[in-house]
Amino acid sequence: MDIGARSRPPFLGGARRGTARTVATAVLVAMTCGASTLAAPSQAAHAAPRPAAATSAVSNAASSAAVSGAWGAAAAGAQGVVALAAPDDRAEVRPRPRPRVDCRRVKCVALTFDDGPGPYTDTLLAYLAAYHAQATFFVVGSNVVTYPRVLRRTVAAGHEIGNHTWSHPDLTRLSPARVRSQLGRTDQAIRAITGIVPGLVRPPYGAINATVRRQTGRPMVLWSVDTLDWRYRSSATVARRALRSVRPGSVILFHDIHPTTVRAIPRVLRKLARRGYRFVTVSQLFGGHPPRLVFNAAPPDLH
């Protein structure tokens, strides 16, 4: 069963330089031939996510490809050129330790950000740091190789990284092999840059079915609060939608590729902090053990 009913405009990648397909090809060439530079887009736009509902349970099968080679890269600003980095920039990232939070006893909320990393993610990281907030970033593989140092800074700050596929397709329309490829290539890119493999998956548009779920044993993370920030390019509207629907245990959906969304975050953090909320990762929200399908966590029983 395909979850959700809202129409989904196509994911548009590569606003300035090429497309996600171009990036994928260039990365594979660089990995194989040791190329010194590769062209990459500077950012990716987003398509409308869809609301989710539960699906039937399916078998538990793991999918995570081993890394063939490793590379690091540094974004070169407005020119959209990514250069292979020196070996010391490929070292494993050491995340900042996350504080222990018992979300059965305190009010917790999980802020999640899709489709990055991008040109506004660094600003977002600064806002989160000001409130000692931990978040979960569901990253797109083609943007990971465009903004590797942003990804490394995200991991180093202690935020959680999730897999959001390589090029943001509707996974329910792909063959099992192509679903595994979308997830596996993204795992490879994240591991090569940071030394970690994400433990969570968020399917684009929230679109999942039994076939998709069989391709990975990792939790599929959806959301309970949809800000619709891809539609409402207004910081005030995005903040208002997040604040009016939040409850203890909520998983809120944002997209850090939109500057209007990033500008809304200080207000969201300030208002929720005044209400006594703690900002945690998805895994923290569930005491380190998210279920196979995540919408939200309702205290006091997280499971």
Side-chain angles (χ1 to χ4, degrees), residues 98 134-138 154 158-162 199-200 281-284 290:
R98 295 173 191 148
Q134 300 293 294
T136 302
F137 289 79
F138 291 95
T154 305
H159 302 293
E160 185 170 36
I161 302 300
L200 305 174
T281 67
V282 169
S283 291
Q284 285 177 306

Side-chain angles (χ1 to χ4, degrees), residues 2 32 62 69 97 143 168 239 272 281 293 297:
D2 183 1
T32 305
N143 283 342
H168 206 276
L272 291 182
T281 67
L293 187 62

Side-chain angles (χ1 to χ4, degrees), residues 130-196:
Y131 282 83
H132 305 287
Q134 300 293 294
T136 302
F137 289 79
F138 291 95
V139 298
V140 172
S142 57
N143 283 342
V144 163
V145 299
T146 307
Y147 296 95
R149 289 188 174 174
V150 176
L151 179 67
R152 289 171 61 83
R153 285 191 286 270
T154 305
V155 172
H159 302 293
E160 185 170 36
I161 302 300
N163 187 319
H164 199 41
T165 73
W166 179 265
S167 59
H168 206 276
D170 179 343
L171 295 179
T172 65
R173 300 181 182 180
L174 303 185
S175 67
R178 291 182 64 193
V179 172
R180 293 193 298 271
S181 176
Q182 282 283 329
L183 298 175
R185 291 172 69 193
T186 304
D187 285 343
Q188 290 182 36
I190 294 170
R191 183 175 177 182
I193 292 167
T194 67
I196 66 171

Side-chain angles (χ1 to χ4, degrees), residues 14-35:
R16 298 182 193 168
R17 294 268 183 176
T19 64
R21 185 184 301 274
T22 303
V23 177
T25 303
V27 168
L28 292 176
V29 170
M31 291 175 66
T32 305
C33 305

